[in-house]
Every structure is written in C-alpha cells, then in structure tokens.
C-alpha cells in the first residue's frame, strides 16, 4: 500500500458542507492501489458509548487521475457534528486506518482513540459555500461592446471605421455600443441565451475599456446611464442576467488620479494609490503601444497605460467598494466579472464580497484566473473563476492534440477535485474569449470539430459561455484579431452552425440541473480508437454522451432517446459514429442499460 499518496484535509474541498444537513467527504489514494475505502464516523461525544468505530461504510471511487484515485461519500449527522476516519483496503487485502494523526493498524487500540479522527466540529450554515441556483441554469454570451453592433451612430468616436471594413488593429474603433446590444436582444433570445457578460463599459481611452478613466460613468461612445438602464431592464424582462466586467487591479493612465500623480509626484494625494517605486513615474516606450521598459511604477504586465492600484490602501479600498456597490444598487446588475483578479490581494476581495452580498444575496462574483484557484474559492471571495484550466484540457486534446485522451481525462478530474461540488457547478467554461484565438480558428476552420468540442464542453459541470459570433462561424486569431465586428449579414453567417448552437443551448438548459449537480462517470476511455463515453446522472435520469475523437468510424450500442448528434448513422439498434462525431442520449435510470 502506497501510504505516502493517502491524503485528506478537513474543512476543505475534501470535507465540506454541501447543503445545510449534508457533508461531502473525499479521500485520495494512489491510482489503482486500493480495492475499497470505508468511512468510519459518528458523534465525537458518543465514541465510547455507541462504539460506532466498529461500523464502516463503503465509499465510491468517483474519478481517477494519472496519479490518484478519489473516493467519495455523503454523510449526515443527527447532532450536526462529526468525527470520521478511513479504513483503506489495498489490492492485496492489506488494511490501514487513516485519520488525523496519520496511518495506523486497524485495531481497537487506535480506533478507540478520539484524537485519531478528523472533525467537522459543527455544521455551520453560515460557513457553507453556497451555489446560487440561477447560475447553474445560465448560458452566458460574452459581448465585446465595441464590436457587437452599432446601434447609435451619434455617439461614434472620432475616426470610427465602417462596420467590419477591416480586421481590427489595437487602436481601431468601429462604433459598437449598448444600443446595439438592445437592438439584438431578440437575436440572443432566439439563441436561448439567458445571461449577458459585457466586457467593460466604463469610460476609458481604449476600444477595450480595460484602462478605466471613470468607473462611475458609462463610456460616452457606448451610451448613457439611461441606455444602460434600458438594456438591463430589457434583459431582466426577458429572464436574462447581466454581468459587468471591471478592473480593480489597475486604472488607465488618463484617469484623473494617475494624472495627478504624474503632475505632483510624491506630493500627490494619490501617490499611495499606486505602486510607484521611484518618482517621477516614467517609462521608456517600445515599438508596441502596449509595451514599455524601465518603468518606475508597477503596471499590468508591461503596459505603461495601466498603472497598478494599491488595494491595501484604505482609501483605494473605499473607492473601489463604492464602485462595486454603486452598479448593483443603481442598475441592479447580477454579477461582476473581475479582470486580473489573481493579482489583487485576498484581503480586499473578502471585503468586496461582503459589500456586494450585503446588497444582493444571490449575486455572482467571477474572477479572471487562468490557473488553479482554491484560495479564491473558499466561499469568502469569488463564486467561480473563468475555468480556463479545465477547458484547456479539452482544447489541448480535441483541438490542439498536445496531450493524449487519458491525459485529458486525468487533467479534467484533477481540476474537479480541487473544488467543492457546488463551486464546480458555478465555474465559467470558456473555449474562447476576447483574450484568445476564436474556436473556429483554433480548429483551422473545421466546423465538425468545432461542433464536437462545443458539445463536449456543454455537458460538463460548470456553466458554458459563448463568445459573440462563434455561433455564426466567425474566425479570429489572437487579440486583436479575435475582436472583429459581429457579422450581421445573414448571407455571411453559417445558418447550419447557428442552428446547431441553438439546439445545444436548448439541451443544456433543459438538463441544466443534471449537468450541474449530476454524477460524472467515464464509462469508456479508449486511447486506441479515440472513443470516449461519459455518463452524467441525477434524480432518475441519465445522459450518455459518446464521442469519436479517433480517425476511424466506431460502432456503438444505441441507448435511450437521442437528444443531439452529429456525424452519426443508425444501423438497426447500433450507431456508427464517424470521426469528429458524437451522440448525446437520455434515458430513465430504471431502464436496463
């Protein structure tokens, strides 16, 4: 038995309250090292009286990575407190007792010792990480406002280019605005979208608006406060949520605060609002507008136009928190997406959450973090992050072919085990954004592959987010090319692809609860053929999804009612799935598989 691989941590993603009465418990063991794992548990004050250490419950192996197996069990406790430990049975029937003090022999001597057990001292509802139910029911649509639609030509910036007249450069303007979004809400409703994620709309110098000048003002090129009110009210009347994007890591260099620092140096009342390492604040320009060197102040990346805010400064905290609450109170937004969230201190984010939830208890806070994010997802900062680390595994296998099939499955399982189940339900699954090449460009124009990877992603835990225009076949390389003007001419749109996306979103919304909360089981992962079968199950219904990621057609048994398929043919009671094909089917659990 590989005892060095055995791991559990109380009060973490390994042991947490899922609902107010139910505790989720996980244990990690070395891959294929254990035949069975059992839980021993009971009330900490009744160990001797009830001798519950003599009883054990089998745990279920839920996922495996290339290194580890993960075991799981749900547990309730009559008195809302629990002591627990594990008995691990190896493949050769060696047993070990594992608890808070490590590994022991399975004997009464160690089983009867109270301090050998992990503890959940009390089921505190106030400490539980909570999933907003509406989030798991949402399919988001990300809009880069400057490029979605020009609904009001009177607010166009100087030198605005004709819509879609060229591929965008970094400093181009095409006139997209909030009225353009309002004008196309019927279109979004037709797609089935019920959540709109807007890139920054606040006054800023650039077309992307991540260099904020005034956080309390809608950028004049996008409209007015009244336009935004109209948009949000119209969305809410259609059952759509609205998420705004904000940058609290840095400001724009044309903001009045930074301009005061440039003018007054160390004597500026805003001098401590930023991280100025040497006065005066200067830099040496590079060929790229967004790059510089020899900066005497901290910035986002090496962009001289985005000086970093000192969020440890109480004045800065008060200022940013007033922004956070203003847009909730005044405009009734439903969520914040927080740019460069991992570069802001945890102390501030805890205050940020408290301020937002004091106004709107079912608010949603999404952080832009591209890597593993446990420290931000403990229930006191963010609800979720942009789940790049999860979808990277999908892209790296299906699209880029940089890893193997089993490695993809392993990476996905590893990411799921980093977080509580309720957190996994709220993660934002993105295949492309304003910061990445578009999906169709990544698939090198292969729309069959695009359909396959979209379908695979939409049946995962977490909530999907569609980048504007993907549904009609838009392409785009890395920023700024991925920020092209939305294609509105139907003759230039791919109507078939759009129809597929509508069907996919409909499936996702119909089975939203199952796909958010259901079990996750690989029934087949065949590296040789490329065939993989994923089973999602919840409350009496199963979804079986089969994907052919190989080079040759594969024949599989037909199961249940087919909900969505591509590149498949039925022959008698079997299905032939062509390369890049897939089928998603549903059936009641009581039907024999």
């Amino acid at each position: 038995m590989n005892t060095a691989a055995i791991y559990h941590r109380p009060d973490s993603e390994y042991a947490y309250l899922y609902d107010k009465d139910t505790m989720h418990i996980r244990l990690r063991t070395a891959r294929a090292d254990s035949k069975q794992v059992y839980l021993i548990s009971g009330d900490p004050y009744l160990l001797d009286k009830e001798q519950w250490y003599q009883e054990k419950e089998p745990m279920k192996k839920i996922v495996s990575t290339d290194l580890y197996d993960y075991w799981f069990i749900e547990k309730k406790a009559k008195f809302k407190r629990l002591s627990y430990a594990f008995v691990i049975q190896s493949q050769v029937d060696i047993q070990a007792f594992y608890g808070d003090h490590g590994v022991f022999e399975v004997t009464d001597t160690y089983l009867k010792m109270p301090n050998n057990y992990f503890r959940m001292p009390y089921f505190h509802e106030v400490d539980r990480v909570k999933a907003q139910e509406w989030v798991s029911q949402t399919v988001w649509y990300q809009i880069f406002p400057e490029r979605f639609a020009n609904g009001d030509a009177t607010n166009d910036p100087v030198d605005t280019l004709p819509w879609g007249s060229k591929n965008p450069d970094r400093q181009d303007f095409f006139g997209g605005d909030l009225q353009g979004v309002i004008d196309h809400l019927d279109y979004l409703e037709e797609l089935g979208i019920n959540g709109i994620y807007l890139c920054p709309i606040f006054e800023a110098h650039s077309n992307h608006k991540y260099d904020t000048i005034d956080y309390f003002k809608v950028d004049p090129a996008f409209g007015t406060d009244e336009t935004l009110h109209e948009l949000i009210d119209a969305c809410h009347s259609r059952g759509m949520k609205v998420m705004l994007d904000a940058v609290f890591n840095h400001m724009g260099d044309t903001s009045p605060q930074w301009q005061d620092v440039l003018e007054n140096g160390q004597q500026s009342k805003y001098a401590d609002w930023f991280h100025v390492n040497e006065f005066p604040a200067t830099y040496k320009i590079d060929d790229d507008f967004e790059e510089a060197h020899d900066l005497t102040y901290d910035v986002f990346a090496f962009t001289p136009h985005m000086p970093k805010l000192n969020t440890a400064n109480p004045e800065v905290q008060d200022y940013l928190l007033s922004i956070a609450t203003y847009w909730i109170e005044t405009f009734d937004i439903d969520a914040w997406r927080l740019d460069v969230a991992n570069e802001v201190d945890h102390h501030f984010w805890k205050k940020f959450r408290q301020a937002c939830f004091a106004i709107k208890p079912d608010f949603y806070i999404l952080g832009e973090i591209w890597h593993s994010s446990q420290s931000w997802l403990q229930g006191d900062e963010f609800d979720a992050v942009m789940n790049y680390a999860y979808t990277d595994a999908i892209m790296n296998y299906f699209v880029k072919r940089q890893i193997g099939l089993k490695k993809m499955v392993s990476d996905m399982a590893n990411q799921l085990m980093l977080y509580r189940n309720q957190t996994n339900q709220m993660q934002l699954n993105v295949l492309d954004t304003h910061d990445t090449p578009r999906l169709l460009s990544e698939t090198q124009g292969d729309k069959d592959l695009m359909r396959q990877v979209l379908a695979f992603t939409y049946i995962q835990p977490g909530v999907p987010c569609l980048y504007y225009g993907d549904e009609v076949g838009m392409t785009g390389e890395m920023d700024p090319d991925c920020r092209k003007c939305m294609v509105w001419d139907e003759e230039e749109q791919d109507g078939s692809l759009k129809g597929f996306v509508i069907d996919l979103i409909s499936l996702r919304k119909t089975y939203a609860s199952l796909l958010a909360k259901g079990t996750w089981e690989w029934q087949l992962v065949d590296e040789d053929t490329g065939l993989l079968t994923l089973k999602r199950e919840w409350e009496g219904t199963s979804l079986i999804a089969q994907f052919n990621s190989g080079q040759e057609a594969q024949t599989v048994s037909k199961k249940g009612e087919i909900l969505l398929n591509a590149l498949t043919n039925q022959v008698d009671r079997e299905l032939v799935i062509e390369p890049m094909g897939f089928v998603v089917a549903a059936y009641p659990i009581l039907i024999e598989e």
Side-chain angles (χ1 to χ4, degrees):
M1 181 183 295
N2 183 356
T3 56
I6 300 170
Y7 185 71
H8 176 84
R9 189 173 74 255
D11 197 18
S12 73
E13 68 273 12
Y14 283 84
Y16 58 90
L17 283 183
Y18 179 68
D19 59 40
K20 66 183 182 66
D21 299 315
T22 308
M23 187 176 170
H24 280 184
I25 300 174
R26 298 172 181 167
L27 180 75
R28 189 192 77 187
T29 61
R31 182 182 175 96
D33 189 52
S34 301
K35 181 187 297 184
Q36 183 61 60
V37 173
Y38 301 92
L39 182 77
I40 299 175
S41 65
D43 190 279
Y45 298 103
L46 297 175
L47 177 65
D48 293 330
K49 185 175 181 180
E50 293 187 350
Q51 297 187 344
W52 47 256
Y53 60 84
Q54 296 180 350
E55 300 176 5
K56 56 186 184 180
E57 301 172 82
M59 299 179 69
K60 180 180 180 181
K61 184 165 66 175
I62 50 169
V63 295
S64 297
T65 69
D66 48 4
L67 297 177
Y68 304 112
D69 292 331
Y70 289 86
W71 304 80
F72 173 82
I73 194 169
E74 285 191 339
K75 192 68 184 174
K76 296 181 183 293
K78 180 179 179 181
F79 301 106
K80 300 180 183 177
R81 57 189 180 230
L82 197 70
S83 285
Y84 63 96
F86 308 92
V87 171
I88 303 162
Q89 183 177 354
S90 74
Q91 295 290 352
V92 293
D93 291 329
I94 297 173
Q95 289 194 338
F97 172 70
Y98 174 68
D100 202 25
H101 290 179
V103 177
F104 298 90
E105 295 178 356
V106 185
T107 65
D108 282 0
T109 299
Y110 301 112
L111 295 175
K112 292 167 65 175
M113 295 172 62
N115 290 339
N116 276 346
Y117 291 87
F118 297 107
R119 295 281 188 96
M120 174 64 85
Y122 191 79
F123 289 13
H124 284 290
E125 171 67 8
V126 70
D127 289 336
R128 181 172 67 88
V129 176
K130 300 172 182 66
Q132 288 80 277
E133 187 68 24
W134 68 265
V135 175
S136 63
Q137 309 292 317
T138 303
V139 176
W140 294 96
Y141 189 87
Q142 183 190 358
I143 292 175
F144 193 82
E146 218 283 319
R147 305 291 158 75
F148 186 63
N150 188 346
D152 183 0
T154 65
N155 59 25
D156 287 359
V158 176
D159 298 327
T160 293
L161 299 169
W163 192 257
S165 56
K166 64 185 287 287
N167 288 350
D169 288 324
R170 292 197 181 279
Q171 300 183 64
D172 288 341
F173 288 86
F174 292 89
D177 51 33
L178 296 180
Q179 186 61 52
V181 180
I182 295 171
D183 293 344
H184 292 88
L185 289 179
D186 286 346
Y187 171 84
L188 298 180
E189 196 167 27
E190 177 194 0
L191 289 179
I193 296 300
N194 57 357
I196 297 176
Y197 151 29
L198 295 168
C199 288
I201 62 169
F202 312 127
E203 184 180 18
H205 178 75
S206 66
N207 53 43
H208 54 69
K209 309 303 178 191
Y210 286 99
D211 53 342
T212 314
I213 295 173
D214 187 345
Y215 289 91
F216 291 97
K217 183 179 180 181
V218 174
D219 192 285
F222 287 169
T224 64
D225 285 1
E226 289 71 25
T227 319
L228 181 61
H229 272 299
E230 182 183 349
L231 171 59
I232 293 175
D233 289 346
C235 287
H236 286 170
S237 70
R238 296 168 183 256
M240 297 178 181
K241 302 290 187 178
V242 178
M243 177 161 59
L244 296 188
D245 194 345
V247 194
F248 295 147
N249 175 68
H250 53 264
M251 272 187 179
D253 63 347
T254 57
S255 64
Q257 294 90 340
W258 182 248
Q259 287 296 310
D260 194 273
V261 171
L262 294 181
E263 181 178 348
N264 298 304
Q266 201 161 1
Q267 304 308 313
S268 169
K269 63 181 180 179
Y270 300 110
D272 194 42
W273 276 45
F274 303 91
H275 294 271
V276 182
N277 303 312
E278 180 183 338
F279 288 95
T282 60
Y283 64 90
K284 294 180 181 177
I285 195 167
D286 285 348
D287 293 336
D288 188 333
F289 169 75
E290 296 200 7
E291 296 284 331
H293 63 278
D294 293 343
L295 295 107
T296 66
Y297 57 100
D298 295 344
V299 296
F300 166 67
F302 294 98
T303 305
H305 311 293
M306 298 181 181
K308 183 177 176 63
L309 284 162
N310 177 14
T311 49
N313 181 329
E315 290 183 4
V316 175
Q317 292 176 9
D318 290 343
Y319 175 69
L320 297 181
L321 294 178
S322 68
I323 297 163
T325 55
Y326 170 76
W327 295 94
I328 303 173
E329 291 177 323
T330 308
F331 293 88
D332 195 27
I333 66 169
D334 304 290
W336 278 117
R337 184 266 188 185
L338 303 169
D339 192 63
V340 201
N342 58 337
E343 295 186 25
V344 177
D345 61 270
H346 291 285
H347 183 78
F348 172 73
W349 286 136
K350 289 176 171 59
K351 289 187 174 183
F352 181 90
R353 182 181 184 86
Q354 291 173 354
C356 293
F357 276 74
I359 301 169
K360 200 165 189 177
D362 65 343
F363 202 71
Y364 178 53
I365 299 178
L366 174 72
E368 185 211 9
I369 300 180
W370 293 54
H371 51 80
S372 301
S373 309
Q374 295 105 310
S375 56
W376 290 272
L377 296 173
Q378 300 301 312
D380 56 354
E381 295 185 35
F382 308 153
D383 296 296
V385 297
M386 300 186 73
N387 210 10
Y388 285 109
Y390 190 78
T391 54
D392 274 354
I394 298 171
M395 291 291 290
N396 287 342
Y397 173 67
F398 277 99
V399 178
K400 300 178 182 180
R401 295 292 174 168
Q402 294 175 343
I403 61 174
L405 175 55
K406 291 182 178 178
K407 178 60 175 172
M408 177 194 75
V409 171
S410 172
D411 287 354
M412 293 170 69
N414 181 66
Q415 287 298 316
L416 288 175
M417 291 299 99
L418 290 178
Y419 312 112
R420 297 161 174 83
N421 281 7
Q422 57 264 46
T423 299
N424 287 325
Q425 294 169 18
M426 296 187 290
Q427 298 279 67
L428 193 80
N429 293 334
V430 293
L431 292 168
D432 55 355
T433 69
H434 65 294
D435 286 326
T436 73
R438 283 187 176 269
L439 178 58
L440 188 54
S441 289
E442 291 281 46
T443 66
Q444 299 181 39
D446 192 327
K447 292 176 182 176
D448 289 330
L449 178 56
M450 181 178 178
R451 286 182 175 91
Q452 186 183 59
V453 73
L454 278 168
F456 185 77
T457 302
Y458 274 53
I459 63 169
Q460 299 301 320
V463 291
C465 182
L466 182 68
Y467 188 40
Y468 79 95
D470 279 358
E471 72 277 5
V472 295
M474 285 182 61
T475 59
E477 300 299 333
M478 194 61 179
D479 161 31
D481 194 54
C482 58
R483 304 172 181 181
K484 293 176 183 175
C485 294
M486 174 68 180
V487 175
W488 288 114
D489 186 341
E490 291 187 4
E491 293 185 359
E492 297 180 18
Q493 294 180 347
D494 187 325
S496 175
L497 181 60
K498 178 184 171 184
F500 167 79
V501 171
I502 289 173
D503 291 342
L504 180 59
I505 291 174
S506 176
L507 183 152
R508 173 72 202 198
K509 290 168 66 178
T510 300
Y511 292 92
S513 294
L514 182 153
L515 294 171
K517 303 175 183 178
T519 58
W520 192 79
E521 177 188 352
W522 287 108
Q523 294 191 318
L524 178 66
V525 179
D526 193 324
E527 193 94 64
D528 295 328
T529 65
L531 190 63
L532 58 159
T533 302
L534 177 61
K535 180 179 180 181
R536 305 296 316 278
E537 188 172 282
W538 187 71
E539 289 195 348
T541 301
S542 285
L543 289 189
I544 295 287
Q546 297 174 290
F547 296 82
N548 183 1
S549 63
Q551 302 300 312
E552 298 181 0
Q554 300 296 322
T555 301
V556 300
S557 298
K558 179 180 180 295
K559 296 181 179 181
E561 175 191 359
I562 294 178
L563 305 174
L564 192 72
N565 69 307
L567 300 179
T568 65
N569 298 290
Q570 185 169 338
V571 180
D572 296 326
R573 294 188 59 82
E574 294 183 322
L575 291 174
V576 178
I577 308 179
E578 300 293 334
M580 291 180 288
F582 66 89
V583 60
V584 181
Y587 61 93
I589 293 174
L590 294 178
I591 292 179
E592 183 178 350
E593 298 180 25

